[in-house]
Amino acid sequence: MTDFVLVHGAWHGAWCWKRVLPPLWRAGHRAFAVSLSGVGERRHLLGAMPITLATHVADVVEVIEAEELSDFVLVGHSYAGMVITGVADRLAERVRHLVYLDAVVPQPGECWSSRHSEETRQARREAIARLGVLPPADPAVFGLAPEDHAWVARRQTPQPGGVYDDPLHFDPARVFGRPKTFIDCRDPALPTIDVARRRVREEPGWRVVALDTGHDAMISAPAELVRALLEVA
């Protein structure tokens, strides 16, 4: 039996793992889907408290501590590559394997915004200055079928603006010394993940798995994603 901790990306919540959890359970594993503060079923916290990247790291750490997990597989989708990196820096000795699911792979001191184009940074910072949040992206960029597009559009919530330019300081040897896999969702490929795609192919120690699906693989290709996760179990 393997324990999986699943962390969603921006604008999503634990709901996005709905098609992944039952197959993992049927395979005899335990899986815990975390909802980060301010989004998903925790959207009521948006505006009630300052939410930073450190808040989201603490959200995941607290689930791990509450469930008394060790030797677990830590999975982060998209923005949550920042989050699981911060978690691994705190709990590296308890992490069996890191899985970056079409996710940001940061360098020490970088923010979520660091590797975005100047055009993207400017647009997002203007939205945060105006609204305090990042409005949800159009799910069309995730390459979803119409019925899935409608489901995701209905469920997405604004992303707390405080996480966008919040730098993450960590020990790269401690974090990336763990076994690690990058799952590359390449059809269509989301441009904001391009830097991470190149990085994991240029640096030693990365296992790269390519899926012919869009960015939200847990929705558009759950069976293929589960197979990839079971390979690291």
Side-chain angles (χ1 to χ4, degrees), residues 119-135:
E119 180 182 6
T120 298
R121 282 197 294 267
Q122 182 177 345
R124 292 188 175 186
R125 285 168 179 164
E126 286 176 356
I128 292 167
R130 251 189 7 253
L131 307 170
V133 297
L134 280 173

Side-chain angles (χ1 to χ4, degrees), residues 42-73:
R42 305 186 74 189
R43 64 186 299 176
H44 62 285
L45 297 176
L46 189 61
M49 55 182 280
I51 297 174
T52 64
L53 177 57
T55 311
H56 285 169
V57 171
D59 288 336
V60 180
V61 169
E62 290 302 323
V63 170
I64 292 166
E65 296 294 1
E67 298 293 344
E68 300 184 329
L69 305 180
S70 61
D71 194 33
F72 54 87
V73 176

Side-chain angles (χ1 to χ4, degrees), residues 19-20 23-24 101 183-185 207 209-214 216-232:
R19 299 172 183 173
V20 170
L24 291 176
L101 172 56
I183 299 179
D184 183 1
C185 301
R207 175 176 175 266
V209 176
L211 296 183
D212 291 323
T213 191
D216 273 9
M218 72 287 286
I219 295 167
S220 58
E224 293 85 348
L225 176 57
V226 167
R227 280 197 294 271
L229 294 178
L230 291 178
E231 288 176 1
V232 303

Side-chain angles (χ1 to χ4, degrees), residues 32-216:
F32 304 86
V34 182
S35 269
L36 301 174
S37 293
V39 290
E41 70 270 25
R42 305 186 74 189
R43 64 186 299 176
H44 62 285
L45 297 176
L46 189 61
M49 55 182 280
I51 297 174
T52 64
L53 177 57
T55 311
H56 285 169
V57 171
D59 288 336
V60 180
V61 169
E62 290 302 323
V63 170
I64 292 166
E65 296 294 1
E67 298 293 344
E68 300 184 329
L69 305 180
S70 61
D71 194 33
F72 54 87
V73 176
L74 182 58
V75 183
H77 174 239
S78 195
Y79 152 74
M82 300 290 298
V83 179
I84 67 168
T85 301
V87 173
D89 189 52
R90 291 177 58 175
L91 303 176
E93 66 283 351
R94 292 163 65 178
V95 177
R96 178 191 300 187
H97 203 113
L98 286 164
V99 178
Y100 289 77
L101 172 56
D102 220 38
V104 179
V105 181
Q107 301 276 14
E110 287 188 339
C111 311
W112 179 24
S113 63
S114 295
R115 298 294 178 160
H116 291 168
S117 69
E118 186 55 39
E119 180 182 6
T120 298
R121 282 197 294 267
Q122 182 177 345
R124 292 188 175 186
R125 285 168 179 164
E126 286 176 356
I128 292 167
R130 251 189 7 253
L131 307 170
V133 297
L134 280 173
D138 183 342
V141 301
F142 307 147
L144 296 171
E147 61 274 16
D148 290 335
H149 179 285
W151 183 57
V152 172
R154 189 168 67 248
R155 299 302 304 275
Q156 284 192 129
T157 51
Q159 180 78 356
V163 305
Y164 190 60
D165 282 315
D166 199 4
L168 180 65
H169 300 284
F170 64 95
D171 179 350
R174 178 172 170 79
V175 174
F176 297 127
R178 308 306 301 164
K180 53 193 180 292
T181 293
F182 184 89
I183 299 179
D184 183 1
C185 301
R186 60 188 184 182
D187 186 20
L190 191 68
T192 53
I193 305 298
D194 284 346
V195 172
R197 290 190 183 95
R198 291 193 298 271
R199 179 180 173 189
V200 298
R201 287 173 167 85
E202 293 167 355
E203 294 183 358
W206 284 92
R207 175 176 175 266
V208 179
V209 176
L211 296 183
D212 291 323
T213 191
H215 185 61
D216 273 9

